[in-house]
Amino acid sequence: MKFGIDAGGTLIKIVKEENGERTFSKYLSTEVETVAELLQQYPDAEVALTGGKATYLQSLIPQDAFQSIEFDATFKGIQTFLEQLNHPLENYIFTNVGTGTSIHHVKGEVQERAGGTGAGGGMIQGLGYLLTGEADYETLTALAAKGDRDDIDLKVKHIYKGDKTPIPGELTAANFGRVLHTKETVQYTDADKLAAAIGAVGETVTTVSIHAAREFGAEYVVYIGSSFLSNELLKKVVMNYTVLRGFKPYFIENGEYSGALGTLKLM
Ligand code: ATP
Ligand code: MG
Protein backbone atom coordinates (compact mmCIF):
# COMPACT_ATOMS: atom_id res chain seq x y z
CA MET A 1 0.00 0.00 0.00
CA LYS A 2 1.25 3.45 -0.95
CA PHE A 3 0.19 6.87 0.28
CA GLY A 4 1.00 10.14 -1.46
CA ILE A 5 0.20 13.10 0.79
CA ASP A 6 0.26 16.82 0.03
CA ALA A 7 -0.03 18.67 3.33
CA GLY A 8 -0.88 22.22 2.26
CA GLY A 9 -1.74 25.44 4.04
CA THR A 10 -5.47 24.71 4.16
CA LEU A 11 -6.07 21.10 3.10
CA ILE A 12 -4.24 17.78 3.29
CA LYS A 13 -4.76 15.82 0.09
CA ILE A 14 -4.21 12.04 0.19
CA VAL A 15 -3.85 9.60 -2.70
CA LYS A 16 -3.85 5.94 -1.75
CA GLU A 17 -2.75 3.27 -4.22
CA GLU A 18 -3.42 -0.37 -3.47
CA ASN A 19 -3.63 -3.28 -5.93
CA GLY A 20 -3.61 -0.86 -8.86
CA GLU A 21 -6.57 1.05 -7.44
CA ARG A 22 -6.34 4.74 -6.62
CA THR A 23 -8.48 6.54 -4.03
CA PHE A 24 -8.58 10.22 -3.11
CA SER A 25 -9.41 11.87 0.21
CA LYS A 26 -8.84 15.19 1.92
CA TYR A 27 -8.75 16.65 5.42
CA LEU A 28 -8.42 20.14 6.80
CA SER A 29 -4.80 21.01 7.65
CA THR A 30 -5.98 21.59 11.22
CA GLU A 31 -6.81 17.85 11.31
CA VAL A 32 -3.20 16.78 10.76
CA GLU A 33 -3.31 14.60 13.91
CA THR A 34 -6.23 12.65 12.42
CA VAL A 35 -4.17 12.00 9.29
CA ALA A 36 -1.27 10.84 11.48
CA GLU A 37 -3.60 8.41 13.31
CA LEU A 38 -4.72 7.02 9.96
CA LEU A 39 -1.10 6.40 8.92
CA GLN A 40 -0.30 4.79 12.28
CA GLN A 41 -2.74 2.02 11.32
CA TYR A 42 -0.54 1.06 8.34
CA PRO A 43 3.05 1.00 9.69
CA ASP A 44 4.27 -1.00 6.66
CA ALA A 45 2.80 1.36 4.07
CA GLU A 46 5.11 3.31 1.79
CA VAL A 47 4.52 7.00 2.36
CA ALA A 48 5.50 9.99 0.21
CA LEU A 49 4.95 13.53 1.45
CA THR A 50 5.05 17.02 0.02
CA GLY A 51 3.68 20.48 0.83
CA GLY A 52 4.41 23.09 3.48
CA LYS A 53 3.30 20.88 6.38
CA ALA A 54 5.12 17.72 5.21
CA THR A 55 7.92 17.91 7.76
CA TYR A 56 5.47 18.44 10.62
CA LEU A 57 3.40 15.45 9.47
CA GLN A 58 6.57 13.34 9.26
CA SER A 59 7.22 14.09 12.94
CA LEU A 60 3.87 12.48 13.83
CA ILE A 61 4.03 9.22 11.85
CA PRO A 62 5.93 5.91 12.24
CA GLN A 63 6.94 5.58 8.55
CA ASP A 64 10.22 7.05 7.31
CA ALA A 65 8.55 8.91 4.46
CA PHE A 66 9.94 10.01 1.13
CA GLN A 67 9.70 13.79 0.71
CA SER A 68 9.71 15.85 -2.46
CA ILE A 69 9.61 19.53 -3.27
CA GLU A 70 6.03 20.68 -3.75
CA PHE A 71 6.60 22.15 -7.24
CA ASP A 72 8.32 18.98 -8.55
CA ALA A 73 5.58 16.81 -7.06
CA THR A 74 2.79 18.93 -8.54
CA PHE A 75 4.44 18.85 -11.97
CA LYS A 76 4.84 15.05 -11.81
CA GLY A 77 1.20 14.69 -10.78
CA ILE A 78 -0.04 16.91 -13.60
CA GLN A 79 2.05 15.01 -16.15
CA THR A 80 0.61 11.73 -14.83
CA PHE A 81 -2.96 13.04 -15.08
CA LEU A 82 -2.40 14.48 -18.58
CA GLU A 83 -0.97 11.18 -19.81
CA GLN A 84 -3.95 9.28 -18.43
CA LEU A 85 -6.33 11.79 -20.00
CA ASN A 86 -4.55 11.39 -23.33
CA HIS A 87 -4.00 15.12 -23.40
CA PRO A 88 -0.22 15.52 -23.53
CA LEU A 89 1.04 19.12 -23.61
CA GLU A 90 4.53 20.16 -24.65
CA ASN A 91 4.70 23.84 -23.71
CA TYR A 92 2.19 25.08 -21.15
CA ILE A 93 1.52 27.05 -18.00
CA PHE A 94 0.07 25.45 -14.90
CA THR A 95 -1.52 27.50 -12.18
CA ASN A 96 -2.12 26.00 -8.75
CA VAL A 97 -4.85 27.96 -7.00
CA GLY A 98 -4.38 26.78 -3.43
CA THR A 99 -4.35 28.91 -0.30
CA GLY A 100 -2.08 31.09 -2.40
CA THR A 101 -1.50 30.88 -6.14
CA SER A 102 1.65 29.55 -7.79
CA ILE A 103 2.31 29.74 -11.52
CA HIS A 104 4.69 27.50 -13.47
CA HIS A 105 5.97 27.09 -16.99
CA VAL A 106 6.53 23.63 -18.44
CA LYS A 107 8.54 22.87 -21.53
CA GLY A 108 9.04 19.19 -22.25
CA GLU A 109 10.33 17.61 -19.06
CA VAL A 110 11.35 20.88 -17.41
CA GLN A 111 9.24 22.88 -14.98
CA GLU A 112 10.11 26.31 -13.64
CA ARG A 113 8.19 28.63 -11.37
CA ALA A 114 7.02 31.65 -13.36
CA GLY A 115 5.38 33.66 -10.60
CA GLY A 116 2.47 33.79 -8.24
CA THR A 117 -0.05 35.96 -6.48
CA GLY A 118 -1.51 36.22 -3.02
CA ALA A 119 -4.96 36.15 -4.60
CA GLY A 120 -6.22 32.59 -4.23
CA GLY A 121 -8.40 30.32 -2.13
CA GLY A 122 -7.23 31.83 1.15
CA MET A 123 -8.26 35.27 -0.05
CA ILE A 124 -11.72 34.01 -1.00
CA GLN A 125 -12.15 32.61 2.51
CA GLY A 126 -10.61 35.58 4.36
CA LEU A 127 -12.13 38.40 2.35
CA GLY A 128 -15.37 36.43 2.17
CA TYR A 129 -15.47 36.31 5.97
CA LEU A 130 -14.69 40.01 6.30
CA LEU A 131 -17.47 40.90 3.86
CA THR A 132 -20.17 38.57 5.21
CA GLY A 133 -19.12 37.01 8.53
CA GLU A 134 -19.43 33.55 6.95
CA ALA A 135 -16.57 31.16 7.71
CA ASP A 136 -18.02 27.87 6.46
CA TYR A 137 -16.54 27.12 3.05
CA GLU A 138 -19.50 25.32 1.48
CA THR A 139 -21.97 27.96 2.72
CA LEU A 140 -19.73 30.74 1.42
CA THR A 141 -19.40 29.31 -2.09
CA ALA A 142 -23.09 28.34 -2.30
CA LEU A 143 -24.00 31.92 -1.40
CA ALA A 144 -21.54 33.36 -3.92
CA ALA A 145 -23.15 31.31 -6.69
CA LYS A 146 -26.34 33.34 -6.25
CA GLY A 147 -24.56 36.68 -6.44
CA ASP A 148 -24.36 39.26 -9.17
CA ARG A 149 -21.36 41.55 -9.50
CA ASP A 150 -22.68 43.77 -12.27
CA ASP A 151 -23.34 46.71 -9.93
CA ILE A 152 -20.04 46.26 -8.07
CA ASP A 153 -17.40 45.87 -10.79
CA LEU A 154 -16.59 48.59 -13.27
CA LYS A 155 -16.19 47.33 -16.83
CA VAL A 156 -14.37 49.03 -19.66
CA LYS A 157 -17.73 49.64 -21.40
CA HIS A 158 -18.99 51.55 -18.35
CA ILE A 159 -16.13 54.01 -18.64
CA TYR A 160 -16.53 54.42 -22.43
CA LYS A 161 -20.35 54.64 -22.16
CA GLY A 162 -21.17 53.42 -25.68
CA ASP A 163 -18.09 54.98 -27.26
CA LYS A 164 -15.75 52.65 -29.17
CA THR A 165 -13.47 50.82 -26.69
CA PRO A 166 -9.77 50.19 -27.41
CA ILE A 167 -9.98 46.84 -25.60
CA PRO A 168 -13.02 44.53 -25.15
CA GLY A 169 -15.76 46.38 -23.27
CA GLU A 170 -16.56 43.30 -21.17
CA LEU A 171 -13.13 43.35 -19.53
CA THR A 172 -13.14 44.48 -15.92
CA ALA A 173 -11.59 47.93 -15.62
CA ALA A 174 -11.75 48.03 -11.81
CA ASN A 175 -12.86 45.25 -9.48
CA PHE A 176 -15.28 46.84 -6.97
CA GLY A 177 -14.84 50.07 -8.97
CA ARG A 178 -18.54 50.59 -9.69
CA VAL A 179 -19.64 50.72 -6.06
CA LEU A 180 -19.34 54.46 -5.64
CA HIS A 181 -21.39 54.93 -8.82
CA THR A 182 -24.24 52.61 -7.80
CA LYS A 183 -24.35 52.90 -4.01
CA GLU A 184 -27.31 55.30 -3.86
CA THR A 185 -29.63 53.00 -5.81
CA VAL A 186 -28.39 49.47 -5.16
CA GLN A 187 -28.58 47.21 -2.08
CA TYR A 188 -25.62 44.83 -2.29
CA THR A 189 -26.40 41.39 -0.87
CA ASP A 190 -23.82 39.14 0.79
CA ALA A 191 -24.07 36.97 -2.31
CA ASP A 192 -23.20 39.93 -4.56
CA LYS A 193 -20.19 40.88 -2.40
CA LEU A 194 -18.89 37.30 -2.46
CA ALA A 195 -19.37 37.01 -6.20
CA ALA A 196 -17.32 40.20 -6.62
CA ALA A 197 -14.58 38.87 -4.32
CA ILE A 198 -14.41 35.62 -6.29
CA GLY A 199 -14.40 37.65 -9.50
CA ALA A 200 -11.41 39.66 -8.29
CA VAL A 201 -9.50 36.54 -7.30
CA GLY A 202 -10.36 34.73 -10.54
CA GLU A 203 -9.40 37.64 -12.74
CA THR A 204 -6.14 38.26 -10.87
CA VAL A 205 -5.17 34.61 -11.09
CA THR A 206 -6.01 34.56 -14.80
CA THR A 207 -4.23 37.81 -15.58
CA VAL A 208 -1.00 36.66 -13.97
CA SER A 209 -1.31 33.27 -15.67
CA ILE A 210 -1.87 34.61 -19.15
CA HIS A 211 1.02 37.04 -18.78
CA ALA A 212 3.19 33.99 -18.14
CA ALA A 213 1.59 32.17 -21.09
CA ARG A 214 2.38 35.10 -23.35
CA GLU A 215 5.94 35.38 -22.08
CA PHE A 216 6.64 31.70 -22.77
CA GLY A 217 4.59 31.34 -25.96
CA ALA A 218 2.25 28.80 -24.37
CA GLU A 219 -1.24 28.16 -25.70
CA TYR A 220 -2.70 26.28 -22.71
CA VAL A 221 -3.10 27.23 -19.07
CA VAL A 222 -3.79 24.20 -16.86
CA TYR A 223 -5.62 25.18 -13.68
CA ILE A 224 -5.56 23.02 -10.56
CA GLY A 225 -6.08 23.48 -6.80
CA SER A 226 -8.87 22.90 -4.31
CA SER A 227 -10.08 26.48 -4.74
CA PHE A 228 -12.14 25.30 -7.71
CA LEU A 229 -14.00 22.72 -5.57
CA SER A 230 -17.65 23.59 -4.95
CA ASN A 231 -16.87 26.89 -6.63
CA GLU A 232 -18.28 26.84 -10.16
CA LEU A 233 -18.24 30.62 -10.14
CA LEU A 234 -14.46 30.77 -9.76
CA LYS A 235 -14.09 28.15 -12.47
CA LYS A 236 -16.40 30.08 -14.79
CA VAL A 237 -14.59 33.39 -14.21
CA VAL A 238 -11.18 31.81 -14.83
CA MET A 239 -12.35 29.85 -17.87
CA ASN A 240 -14.14 32.76 -19.53
CA TYR A 241 -11.42 35.28 -18.72
CA THR A 242 -8.69 32.99 -20.08
CA VAL A 243 -10.64 32.53 -23.33
CA LEU A 244 -11.45 36.26 -23.54
CA ARG A 245 -7.72 36.97 -23.28
CA GLY A 246 -6.99 34.53 -26.12
CA PHE A 247 -5.65 31.43 -24.35
CA LYS A 248 -6.95 27.90 -23.72
CA PRO A 249 -7.92 26.92 -20.17
CA TYR A 250 -7.71 23.27 -19.13
CA PHE A 251 -9.10 21.90 -15.87
CA ILE A 252 -8.02 18.47 -14.66
CA GLU A 253 -10.50 16.31 -12.77
CA ASN A 254 -9.01 15.62 -9.30
CA GLY A 255 -6.27 18.11 -10.27
CA GLU A 256 -6.08 19.28 -6.65
CA TYR A 257 -4.45 15.90 -5.91
CA SER A 258 -1.56 16.57 -8.33
CA GLY A 259 0.97 17.18 -5.53
CA ALA A 260 -0.12 14.08 -3.61
CA LEU A 261 -0.10 11.87 -6.71
CA GLY A 262 3.17 13.38 -7.90
CA THR A 263 5.11 12.78 -4.71
CA LEU A 264 3.83 9.17 -4.72
CA LYS A 265 5.05 8.73 -8.31
CA LEU A 266 8.44 10.29 -7.54
CA MET A 267 9.00 7.89 -4.60
P1 ATP B 1 -0.97 25.88 -0.43
O1 ATP B 1 -0.64 24.99 -1.60
O2 ATP B 1 -1.07 27.31 -0.81
O3 ATP B 1 -0.12 25.58 0.76
P2 ATP B 1 -3.27 24.13 -0.08
O4 ATP B 1 -2.46 23.07 -0.75
O5 ATP B 1 -3.88 23.77 1.24
O6 ATP B 1 -2.46 25.48 0.07
P3 ATP B 1 -5.55 23.77 -1.82
O7 ATP B 1 -5.96 22.60 -1.00
O8 ATP B 1 -5.19 23.53 -3.23
O9 ATP B 1 -4.42 24.60 -1.08
O10 ATP B 1 -6.72 24.88 -1.81
C1 ATP B 1 -7.17 25.48 -0.61
C2 ATP B 1 -8.44 26.24 -0.92
O11 ATP B 1 -9.45 25.34 -1.34
C3 ATP B 1 -9.06 26.98 0.26
O12 ATP B 1 -8.46 28.24 0.46
C4 ATP B 1 -10.52 27.08 -0.16
O13 ATP B 1 -10.71 28.21 -1.01
C5 ATP B 1 -10.73 25.84 -1.02
N1 ATP B 1 -11.47 24.74 -0.37
C6 ATP B 1 -12.07 23.73 -1.05
N2 ATP B 1 -12.68 22.89 -0.24
C7 ATP B 1 -12.49 23.34 1.02
C8 ATP B 1 -12.90 22.89 2.30
N3 ATP B 1 -13.63 21.80 2.47
N4 ATP B 1 -12.50 23.61 3.38
C9 ATP B 1 -11.75 24.70 3.24
N5 ATP B 1 -11.35 25.18 2.05
C10 ATP B 1 -11.70 24.52 0.94
MG1 MG C 1 -1.05 23.15 -2.25
Side-chain angles (χ1 to χ4, degrees):
M1 187 188 304
K2 289 182 181 180
F3 288 99
I5 303 179
D6 173 8
T10 306
L11 297 172
I12 300 174
K13 280 74 63 183
I14 305 180
V15 174
K16 184 171 111 182
E17 280 192 351
E18 191 180 20
N19 304 325
E21 208 175 295
R22 193 181 286 164
T23 49
F24 302 98
S25 57
K26 61 177 163 21
Y27 295 80
L28 290 171
S29 297
T30 48
E31 300 171 326
V32 63
E33 282 80 12
T34 309
V35 174
E37 280 164 27
L38 169 87
L39 290 168
Q40 282 155 13
Q41 292 169 31
Y42 306 98
D44 297 328
E46 288 180 73
V47 179
L49 305 174
T50 195
K53 298 202 186 312
T55 302
Y56 178 58
L57 179 56
Q58 171 66 84
S59 75
L60 303 176
I61 60 174
Q63 298 88 354
D64 182 15
F66 168 82
Q67 270 197 43
S68 63
I69 295 167
E70 184 174 345
F71 302 154
D72 297 335
T74 306
F75 173 43
K76 180 69 181 175
I78 289 176
Q79 295 286 77
T80 306
F81 277 131
L82 288 177
E83 258 167 48
Q84 288 167 356
L85 289 163
N86 259 319
H87 198 281
L89 294 171
E90 173 58 27
N91 180 38
Y92 65 95
I93 299 297
F94 75 79
T95 299
N96 185 1
V97 190
T99 312
T101 298
S102 193
I103 296 164
H104 305 255
H105 170 236
V106 176
K107 183 143 199 198
E109 293 302 309
V110 182
Q111 169 277 133
E112 75 176 313
R113 191 166 188 273
T117 166
M123 179 169 158
I124 292 173
Q125 294 186 280
L127 182 58
Y129 176 76
L130 288 178
L131 289 171
T132 67
E134 184 56 63
D136 179 72
Y137 179 74
E138 299 290 339
T139 310
L140 199 74
T141 49
L143 196 55
K146 297 186 210 141
D148 183 345
R149 57 195 184 107
D150 274 5
D151 292 321
I152 296 180
D153 288 344
L154 191 71
K155 291 183 173 181
V156 171
K157 69 177 184 194
H158 294 135
I159 299 182
Y160 278 75
K161 282 219 167 87
D163 212 351
K164 196 171 171 298
T165 58
I167 52 174
E170 283 304 312
L171 283 174
T172 305
N175 294 92
F176 294 93
R178 209 169 179 217
V179 170
L180 294 190
H181 302 278
T182 56
K183 67 181 192 325
E184 310 302 342
T185 52
V186 175
Q187 280 289 341
Y188 315 103
T189 64
D190 280 355
D192 296 342
K193 293 178 198 171
L194 289 173
I198 290 173
V201 169
E203 290 173 6
T204 303
V205 162
T206 309
T207 299
V208 185
S209 302
I210 60 126
H211 283 176
R214 196 178 293 151
E215 180 182 343
F216 293 104
E219 182 185 14
Y220 275 93
V221 182
V222 174
Y223 292 100
I224 60 160
S226 310
S227 301
F228 295 107
L229 298 177
S230 307
N231 197 342
E232 278 305 309
L233 180 60
L234 181 70
K235 205 165 166 179
K236 201 173 90 187
V237 170
V238 167
M239 191 151 59
N240 292 348
Y241 218 60
T242 305
V243 171
L244 185 66
R245 304 291 294 265
F247 294 85
K248 291 184 178 164
Y250 191 81
F251 291 88
I252 297 177
E253 195 190 345
N254 293 319
E256 66 277 12
Y257 290 96
S258 295
L261 178 64
T263 194
L264 188 153
K265 292 294 171 197
L266 288 171
M267 176 162 57

